[in-house]
Amino acid sequence: MKRYRLFGVISAVCITLSILYSLIGNSQIPTSRVLLSTNPPLERILPFEAEAEKAQSPVTLTLQAVDAAGKHLENTKISLQILTPPRNPWLTTDFPIVEGTKLLQMDATAPDGKLEIQQMLPIRGNYQLLVNVSPLIANAFAPYQQTLNLNVHENPIKYKYFVVIAAILLSLGLLGGWVIGGQKELQQGEIAPQSVRLLLSALTVVAIVTLLVINISAEVAEAHGSEHHSKSTEVIAPSSQKSQGLEINLSGDKNATVGKLANLTLQVKDSAGEPMEDVALEVKAIATEHNLTVFDYKGIPDEQGKLTWLEQFFDGSPHQIQVEATPLPESKRQFAPVKVAQEVEVEAIAPPIYIRLIGLFYFTAFVGIGMAIGLLIQHRRTPQAREN
């Protein structure tokens, strides 16, 4: 009986030790992974700012696939998806339609295991990069996937604007509460004291001026956008080219919507119709309204001579996709650079009404808090004045 008990204790100890060893061992065993680096550094990355778009440039994201020993993997296919930060209706960003959507999806052939893109990040928050690495040569290594996080901080100037606006709204509320709280007894035939009437009249004038400014600004912006839109119709190159024994065709969606991905495909063939792989491609997505590059990728097509990617145009302005093909240094076929381009019309989506109502609620709350403070001050001041 004692032997059975001793055997049971020993078995339990062995099982426990094996579990602990496996947990500790697995945590220490290096595995294949993807290294992420950014330029500028992560702490200096700011979201897209519509008012300062000319001074901005896209963020360079470099993904390097390495094996368990930290050595760069070769002959890889890297699939990348960039997910925007999740929705937060109470603290929305400048592009609420973009929240909780896909910004980019692409499959890239990476002979040196590295994928480098330049991508404009539209909003603040935590981006997720879903990366899938697989071999181009069968059984060269085991495919793996990894989720990387990229946290983009809000532009500090936005906090300054918020403090200024909050101070102005609180001051207006405080003034209103002070005036209303100090109102005198009504004279015969008066609906409200003269001070209150003057305050309401001033607020009415301010509201009318604000509405006029908003409407005039909207009309000017629309006319300005139409002017840029007419200029953006000039295409620097056709979407298909046949020259120097090379055929390049850029196809895909010519109409896109903010919040949704647009599908784009590039096909490279030789004069015999055979797919070409030994071609260097540079792909750019340019917001033509301000000549701003929002996406840039340099790479090569796959074994079928194709490069396919899905991209979201977040700012709602017309875009132009530009592709330049050049021969690789080791390529037998040398040719002058060939360019193709395609216009993409983007439909902007207005923020939902509830988001605007939430913003209005915040503004009203600041005014209400200021008014409550003003009324409280006058309420405490009035008894002291009467006693004196």
Side-chain angles (χ1 to χ4, degrees), residues 4 24 45 54 171 179 211 233 299 314 321 369:
Y4 289 123
I24 296 174
I45 297 176
K54 292 184 180 180
S171 301
V179 173
L211 289 174
T233 55
F314 57 85
I321 309 300
I369 292 172

Side-chain angles (χ1 to χ4, degrees), residues 27-249:
S27 63
Q28 293 179 347
I29 294 176
T31 58
S32 300
R33 60 195 185 280
V34 177
L35 305 178
L36 171 65
S37 60
T38 64
N39 186 22
L42 182 59
E43 62 274 7
R44 292 176 52 194
I45 297 176
L46 297 177
F48 174 77
E49 187 66 39
E51 289 79 8
E53 65 281 297
K54 292 184 180 180
Q56 286 188 303
S57 58
V59 178
T60 301
L61 304 175
T62 304
L63 304 172
Q64 179 65 64
V66 298
D67 59 14
K71 183 180 178 181
H72 294 180
L73 291 174
E74 297 182 351
N75 297 320
T76 63
K77 176 182 177 182
I78 300 179
S79 300
L80 171 65
Q81 297 183 46
I82 301 180
L83 308 183
T84 60
R87 299 180 186 276
N88 187 349
W90 297 104
L91 293 173
T92 60
T93 62
D94 292 344
F95 300 94
I97 302 299
V98 178
E99 298 171 7
T101 62
K102 283 185 181 181
L103 186 63
L104 179 70
Q105 179 175 330
M106 67 179 304
D107 296 330
T109 300
D112 55 355
K114 183 171 72 172
L115 169 62
E116 182 174 291
I117 64 171
Q118 295 183 25
Q119 174 66 55
M120 190 72 74
L121 302 176
I123 59 177
R124 69 173 186 272
N126 185 38
Y127 290 80
Q128 282 192 330
L129 281 64
L130 308 181
V131 187
N132 194 341
V133 181
S134 57
L136 293 176
I137 303 175
N139 302 321
F141 60 87
Y144 63 94
Q145 57 186 4
Q146 186 175 347
T147 299
L148 303 170
N149 293 299
L150 184 66
N151 190 28
V152 176
H153 300 285
E154 184 60 278
N155 194 331
I157 198 170
K158 293 291 184 67
Y159 297 113
K160 296 180 181 179
Y161 289 158
F162 173 77
V163 171
V164 171
I165 293 175
I168 293 174
L169 294 175
L170 283 171
S171 301
L172 290 175
L174 181 62
L175 176 62
W178 178 276
V179 173
I180 295 174
Q183 63 183 351
K184 301 177 181 178
E185 294 182 0
L186 294 177
Q187 301 295 328
Q188 186 176 2
E190 286 185 336
I191 299 176
Q194 183 179 4
S195 59
V196 177
R197 295 199 305 270
L198 290 175
L199 175 63
L200 294 176
S201 299
L203 291 176
T204 302
V205 171
V206 170
I208 293 174
V209 172
T210 303
L211 289 174
L212 286 174
V213 170
I214 292 174
N215 289 329
I216 293 174
S217 300
E219 291 294 332
V220 171
E222 183 177 356
H224 186 64
S226 300
E227 178 183 353
H228 282 287
H229 178 71
S230 61
K231 293 180 181 179
S232 68
T233 55
E234 299 178 3
V235 182
I236 63 170
S239 60
S240 182
Q241 283 265 38
K242 288 184 178 181
S243 64
Q244 308 174 75
L246 185 71
E247 179 182 353
I248 301 181
N249 183 34

Side-chain angles (χ1 to χ4, degrees), residues 186-343:
L186 294 177
Q187 301 295 328
Q188 186 176 2
E190 286 185 336
I191 299 176
Q194 183 179 4
S195 59
V196 177
R197 295 199 305 270
L198 290 175
L199 175 63
L200 294 176
S201 299
L203 291 176
T204 302
V205 171
V206 170
I208 293 174
V209 172
T210 303
L211 289 174
L212 286 174
V213 170
I214 292 174
N215 289 329
I216 293 174
S217 300
E219 291 294 332
V220 171
E222 183 177 356
H224 186 64
S226 300
E227 178 183 353
H228 282 287
H229 178 71
S230 61
K231 293 180 181 179
S232 68
T233 55
E234 299 178 3
V235 182
I236 63 170
S239 60
S240 182
Q241 283 265 38
K242 288 184 178 181
S243 64
Q244 308 174 75
L246 185 71
E247 179 182 353
I248 301 181
N249 183 34
L250 177 61
S251 61
D253 297 334
K254 295 183 179 180
N255 293 281
T257 304
V258 173
K260 298 181 180 179
L261 293 174
N263 195 345
L264 299 161
T265 300
L266 183 71
Q267 176 72 68
V268 184
K269 297 180 180 179
D270 58 17
S271 56
E274 296 295 326
M276 294 180 57
E277 301 180 53
D278 54 348
V279 179
L281 303 173
E282 180 175 8
V283 180
K284 289 185 178 181
I286 300 175
T288 54
E289 186 173 346
H290 301 287
N291 194 29
L292 175 67
T293 300
V294 297
F295 173 74
D296 192 329
Y297 166 69
K298 296 178 181 179
I300 60 175
D302 60 15
E303 64 277 2
Q304 298 178 352
K306 285 186 177 182
L307 175 64
T308 301
W309 75 102
L310 292 87
E311 183 176 355
Q312 179 184 166
F313 305 104
F314 57 85
D315 63 344
S317 65
H319 284 66
Q320 187 177 85
I321 309 300
Q322 299 179 3
V323 180
E324 182 179 31
T326 56
L328 292 174
E330 64 273 13
S331 176
K332 297 180 180 180
R333 183 187 290 105
Q334 297 295 315
F335 54 87
V338 180
K339 296 182 179 181
V340 292
Q342 177 174 302
E343 292 284 338

